[in-house]
Amino acid sequence: MKKLLSLTSKFAMTAMMSLQVANAVPQEIVDTDMDKLWGERLELDAGERGAWFKEAKYAMFIHWGLYSGLAGDWKGKTHFGIGEWIMNKHLAGISVDEYRALAKDFNPVKFDAKAWVTLAKQSGMKYIVITAKHHDGFAMYASKASKYNIKDASPFGRDPLKELADECRKQGLGFGFYYSQYQDWNEKDAFGNSWDFNPKEANFSKYFKEKCEPQVKELVTQYGDLAVLWFDTPGKMTKEDSMALVNLVKKHQPRCLINSRIGNGVGDYSSLGDMEIPPENVGGLWECVDTTNNSWSYAWYDENWKSGEQIAQNVISVVARGGTYMLNIGPRGDGSIPTGASDELVIAGQWIKKHAGTIYGAEASPWHKAFAWGDVTVNHGNLFLHIFDWPANGKIYLPGLSNKISGAALLNLKGQVKVTKEGDWTVVSIPKVKPQAINPVVQLKYDGKLKVDHGLAFDGETKANLFSLFSKQKDCDVVQLRWMEKFGEWKHAEMVKNWTPTSEATWDVNIRKPGKYALEMTYSCNDKADYSEFEVLAGKTAMTIQALDTGDRMPSKRMFGRGLLPRVRTLRLGVVEFDKAGKQKVVFKTKKGEWKGFNLKALELKAYK
């Protein structure tokens, strides 16, 4: 496997590209809508330039700025939400003058570039991306384009990002910057600050030419080779604006990748919605961005740290869907990293080090979806079965695998593994007692070109998730709902919505063995759809069910223009019977009542006990 020590050092300069002039963007007084500001999803392959990205799979994101010193508090009041947005009117609504004054006391004396990069390396991460300028407008590096920066405006008096870039190069990690190109709450001509400035009077072109472009030029010319330039919230930027930044980056950093949040479809790879691990494989180059707890920047109240085991599982899940996992830490204002993050990152890193071949350069699962027991990655003729939930009967069932298995073993663990065939199912027998290790892995060596049936399947032992996204819809739609929780973390769920009297959602499921099984429903529902009736058809069984109000409502505090807050619950519907094995249909259809406030996330088939 190629080492990533050279992932940035081999970046070479190419021909000069013309720099296009940015056009002015009209401003409006509107609430920030994250659906629009995130930009579109792309399905791109950056070719040779993207080869290192396909190999790396795991990166560190860092949110660090003046907001880190506030840690969620302003004038004695805690503002629960997105910590780095605390200046925004949706949270504390801090004026420009009051916020700028924070720089006078911002002195991160505990910042240690070597310790940060060492942590990323010990965690198994291959590159680092850090906030050079977030929406608050404060530059965390020595910017000549704006004196509102950490070197000139704070007592710290140094450029921590230069130290970080140099240390990444020294330790062999890639390095990149986050830059907020559209929002800058410190500038009257940029987008975002409607509590200090009148957006109708803004001249976006002036901000773009005098601050945005010059600062991006500084980043791509003064910090050595860059792996990534990570833009955010493109909003209403024109394609000319986006291309001006693209051309600027490519002129000076031809090997540097640009994410989709540059806007207007001109990025090199796709950044999904925050904290979004997709339920099925995604094509092209893409990443999931997530956090070690719930907050992006440091928040004193957020102690909901992901365990090392969960972090490793998330890495696996993203790689199994075909992507890269970029996991955020939020250092404190003094530059120290909370041990709740660092300790668990190291635990995950120890696991990754022992299972490197299952992660770096690995391909997505050929089944396109996770199993109830875990997930699958592929590398160099091997299937790696990552077991999150050890099966009580000591058997893993793989549907529709056509290849012959020529070798099977527990990776780095003792215990016998036996592989047999049962019709079109491959049965992997493992010890009934789980080894004393997190996320055990079974390695299967397969012959020939990998071929599987990646349709839905139910082994009769572990749960089968019939997500709405996997259904065929008639007179209804699958829509992704997004909502924000208390600490500012984003939640996502694909739901079947827009029901009519003739609506149906149908799943084709490969049933391993006939029998009786429990059927559950995961959904959300408002009071208007309370007691609405649906019919479920599964095998020999037809049943009528009622949807009960789960408490869906509009939020009392509308954060960033968000709408409905779904309250998802799981309800057992009854027992269904399949009288034969093989492909069967499960149908969910409207029957009587008011269905418009009903959202179906999934049906679940489970063993009937």
Side-chain angles (χ1 to χ4, degrees):
M1 188 175 296
K2 296 179 180 178
K3 297 181 72 174
L4 291 179
L5 289 173
S6 60
L7 83 91
T8 56
S9 62
K10 292 185 178 179
F11 290 175
M13 298 295 287
T14 57
M16 301 285 280
M17 299 181 181
S18 61
L19 186 63
Q20 299 184 19
V21 178
N23 294 329
V25 176
Q27 304 292 296
E28 298 176 4
I29 302 176
V30 293
D31 283 346
T32 304
D33 187 333
M34 298 308 298
D35 287 337
K36 297 176 182 177
L37 287 181
W38 273 335
E40 54 278 281
R41 181 175 295 186
L42 309 175
E43 284 206 15
L44 300 175
D45 186 332
E48 184 183 349
R49 290 175 52 246
W52 71 265
F53 188 88
K54 292 180 181 179
E55 177 81 12
K57 297 301 181 184
Y58 189 30
M60 176 177 281
F61 211 4
I62 303 175
H63 277 65
W64 192 44
L66 293 182
Y67 42 78
S68 304
L70 296 179
D73 278 1
W74 176 246
K75 293 185 176 179
K77 180 181 178 181
T78 296
H79 293 269
F80 297 103
I82 312 180
E84 67 277 11
W85 282 66
I86 192 169
M87 181 184 177
N88 193 274
K89 67 178 181 181
H90 291 287
L91 292 171
I94 306 172
S95 71
V96 166
D97 290 341
E98 288 181 301
Y99 195 83
R100 286 178 67 95
L102 296 174
K104 297 177 182 178
D105 298 317
F106 188 69
N107 192 18
V109 293
K110 293 184 179 180
F111 168 74
D112 184 342
K114 182 177 180 180
W116 284 23
V117 177
T118 299
L119 173 62
K121 194 166 185 178
Q122 289 176 338
S123 303
M125 294 157 163
K126 295 299 183 180
Y127 59 101
I128 291 174
V129 176
I130 188 170
T131 47
K133 188 203 78 170
H134 209 276
H135 308 323
D136 63 348
F138 183 73
M140 290 295 290
Y141 70 99
S143 173
K144 290 184 174 59
S146 170
K147 292 295 183 182
Y148 189 44
N149 70 75
I150 190 170
K151 187 173 188 299
D152 295 323
S154 83
F156 189 62
R158 289 158 42 198
D159 186 338
L161 304 197
K162 180 68 166 61
E163 296 173 26
L164 200 61
D166 291 344
E167 188 62 33
C168 278
R169 192 171 300 109
K170 184 176 180 180
Q171 295 199 37
L173 296 190
F175 183 70
F177 292 112
Y178 167 112
Y179 188 85
S180 175
Q181 77 274 29
Y182 182 57
Q183 298 193 73
D184 189 319
W185 305 332
N186 184 67
E187 307 295 334
K188 65 181 181 65
D189 291 313
F191 175 82
N193 187 342
S194 60
W195 59 99
D196 279 304
F197 309 120
N198 183 353
K200 290 184 177 180
E201 298 176 356
N203 180 357
F204 183 79
S205 183
K206 184 175 187 296
Y207 152 76
F208 191 85
K209 294 175 182 177
E210 294 181 3
K211 184 174 184 180
C212 178
E213 280 188 313
Q215 285 194 331
V216 171
K217 185 176 181 180
E218 290 172 342
L219 297 176
V220 297
T221 58
Q222 298 177 16
Y223 293 86
D225 294 327
L226 300 181
V228 172
L229 220 305
W230 210 96
F231 293 100
D232 199 16
T233 67
K236 295 182 179 181
M237 286 180 63
T238 65
K239 188 170 184 178
E240 289 76 15
D241 291 328
S242 296
M243 282 305 303
L245 295 178
V246 168
N247 290 338
L248 178 58
V249 174
K250 300 305 181 190
K251 175 182 177 180
H252 298 283
Q253 298 276 349
R255 300 289 295 177
C256 179
L257 295 184
I258 298 172
N259 68 326
S260 59
R261 298 191 193 184
I262 184 65
N264 296 296
V266 298
D268 295 314
Y269 70 93
S270 186
S271 297
L272 304 192
D274 292 354
M275 304 172 176
E276 179 183 1
I277 298 179
E280 66 177 349
N281 290 14
V282 175
L285 291 182
W286 62 273
E287 70 184 357
C288 163
V289 290
D290 200 358
T291 63
T292 44
N293 49 354
N294 291 325
S295 307
W296 293 97
S297 67
Y298 176 70
W300 70 266
Y301 51 81
D302 187 359
E303 295 290 337
N304 190 21
W305 304 105
K306 291 178 176 64
S307 68
E309 181 176 12
Q310 183 62 60
I311 291 170
Q313 288 181 4
N314 286 0
V315 174
I316 294 161
S317 296
V318 173
V319 174
R321 302 284 74 76
T324 291
Y325 190 55
M326 187 156 71
L327 184 60
N328 179 76
I329 62 170
R332 296 184 182 91
D334 64 6
S336 62
I337 296 173
T339 57
S342 59
D343 289 352
E344 300 305 320
L345 284 171
V346 171
I347 290 172
Q350 292 169 346
W351 182 93
I352 291 171
K353 183 178 181 180
K354 293 180 180 178
H355 302 82
T358 76
I359 300 296
Y360 305 124
E363 298 175 17
S365 170
W367 283 278
H368 291 193
K369 309 167 187 69
F371 292 101
W373 48 262
D375 223 326
V376 180
T377 60
V378 183
N379 210 350
H380 294 101
N382 294 285
L383 291 167
F384 295 105
L385 315 184
H386 300 264
I387 307 174
F388 303 162
D389 188 5
W390 196 264
N393 67 350
K395 294 183 184 300
I396 292 174
Y397 302 92
L398 301 175
L401 175 61
S402 300
N403 301 76
K404 178 184 176 182
I405 301 300
S406 56
L410 279 168
L411 193 61
N412 301 324
L413 295 170
K414 295 180 179 179
Q416 291 188 337
V417 178
K418 182 180 179 182
V419 178
T420 57
K421 292 291 288 187
E422 183 184 296
D424 64 347
W425 291 76
T426 298
V427 183
V428 182
S429 298
I430 56 180
K432 289 190 176 182
V433 178
K434 178 187 174 182
Q436 294 298 311
I438 65 172
N439 306 326
V441 178
V442 173
Q443 178 180 5
L444 300 181
K445 181 72 176 177
Y446 64 87
D447 297 337
K449 185 177 181 181
L450 195 58
K451 183 179 179 182
V452 306
D453 179 351
H454 54 74
L456 289 171
F458 177 46
D459 61 23
E461 304 291 341
T462 56
K463 180 174 69 173
N465 289 311
L466 311 185
F467 288 115
S468 62
L469 192 63
F470 305 155
S471 68
K472 296 177 182 177
Q473 306 91 42
K474 174 188 173 185
D475 299 331
C476 51
D477 305 292
V478 173
V479 177
Q480 186 186 72
L481 302 184
R482 290 186 181 134
W483 65 99
M484 185 175 286
E485 298 289 351
K486 183 177 182 180
F487 289 172
E489 68 272 24
W490 287 95
K491 301 295 183 182
H492 313 79
E494 285 77 15
M495 303 274 206
V496 181
K497 290 176 58 70
N498 305 324
W499 299 90
T500 71
T502 56
S503 293
E504 294 182 3
T506 303
W507 295 262
D508 293 311
V509 188
N510 181 10
I511 305 295
R512 185 177 68 88
K513 61 180 182 178
K516 293 181 179 181
Y517 300 101
L519 183 68
E520 296 182 348
M521 171 177 73
T522 301
Y523 72 106
S524 76
C525 179
N526 64 18
D527 57 346
K528 293 181 180 179
D530 196 21
Y531 290 104
S532 55
E533 295 183 7
F534 296 85
E535 185 176 14
V536 181
L537 308 174
K540 294 176 62 178
T541 308
M543 67 172 72
T544 296
I545 63 102
Q546 288 183 319
L548 303 178
D549 178 11
T550 64
D552 282 14
R553 61 179 177 82
M554 296 302 291
S556 57
K557 183 178 181 181
R558 296 199 68 190
M559 296 277 291
F560 312 113
R562 303 309 306 157
L564 178 74
L565 284 174
R567 292 295 182 248
V568 180
R569 67 174 290 189
T570 298
L571 178 70
R572 177 162 168 162
L573 302 182
V575 179
V576 298
E577 183 176 3
F578 295 98
D579 60 353
K580 60 182 179 179
K583 294 291 178 71
Q584 303 282 323
K585 289 187 180 299
V586 177
V587 182
F588 189 92
K589 56 196 296 188
T590 51
K591 187 172 184 181
K592 187 170 66 176
E594 171 57 62
W595 315 287
K596 291 183 180 178
F598 175 81
N599 308 305
L600 179 64
K601 180 180 179 183
L603 297 180
E604 295 95 24
L605 285 167
K606 303 176 74 173
Y608 176 42
K609 298 178 181 179

